[in-house]
Amino acid sequence: MKRRMQSPWMATVQVGDVLRTASGTLRIAREVSRYKDGDLRSITFAIRHCSWTHRPTTSYGYTDLRLMGYEPIGVRIALNSKLDRELSADIADHRRQKLHCCDVRGVLN
């Protein structure tokens, strides 16, 4: 099977890791999805700006993450606040959607 073109950090990224975009924006990995072979599939973040869906999260595939220059900064945050738990529940069940984009505005994405 052909290997996916992934950055080395993608093999070890976990929920709670803080990543920086090429422009310097910091984002917290809220969900990490992997293929069966362990390669990174996607990372879900709290959304930065409201969209027409009003969802509180956005996901980027490994190719998008690589092309947008995402890299970890070596910090992992314990996601244990009430908002973190609510956001995690919304991610786990996309039909739930108790939070909206305006609920996560101003938090470290």
Side-chain angles (χ1 to χ4, degrees), residues 19-56:
L19 289 90
R20 181 183 345 219
T21 65
S23 64
T25 302
L26 299 177
R27 314 267 323 249
I28 301 172
R30 301 288 178 157
E31 178 185 56
V32 176
S33 174
R34 297 196 177 277
Y35 291 102
K36 288 181 182 179
D37 65 2
D39 278 358
L40 181 69
R41 180 187 301 258
S42 64
I43 297 178
T44 300
F45 301 100
I47 203 158
R48 292 179 56 213
H49 304 287
C50 285
S51 69
W52 63 273
T53 67
H54 297 284
R55 290 196 177 279

Side-chain angles (χ1 to χ4, degrees), residues 35-93:
Y35 291 102
K36 288 181 182 179
D37 65 2
D39 278 358
L40 181 69
R41 180 187 301 258
S42 64
I43 297 178
T44 300
F45 301 100
I47 203 158
R48 292 179 56 213
H49 304 287
C50 285
S51 69
W52 63 273
T53 67
H54 297 284
R55 290 196 177 279
T57 60
T58 189
S59 296
Y60 293 118
Y62 71 90
T63 301
D64 299 319
L65 294 163
R66 187 172 45 84
L67 293 175
M68 290 190 291
Y70 275 85
E71 290 197 352
I73 64 168
V75 173
R76 182 169 299 136
I77 295 177
L79 300 174
N80 53 13
S81 73
K82 182 179 180 190
L83 181 63
D84 292 330
R85 290 188 300 272
E86 289 288 322
L87 194 52
S88 180
D90 275 8
I91 292 169
D93 181 0

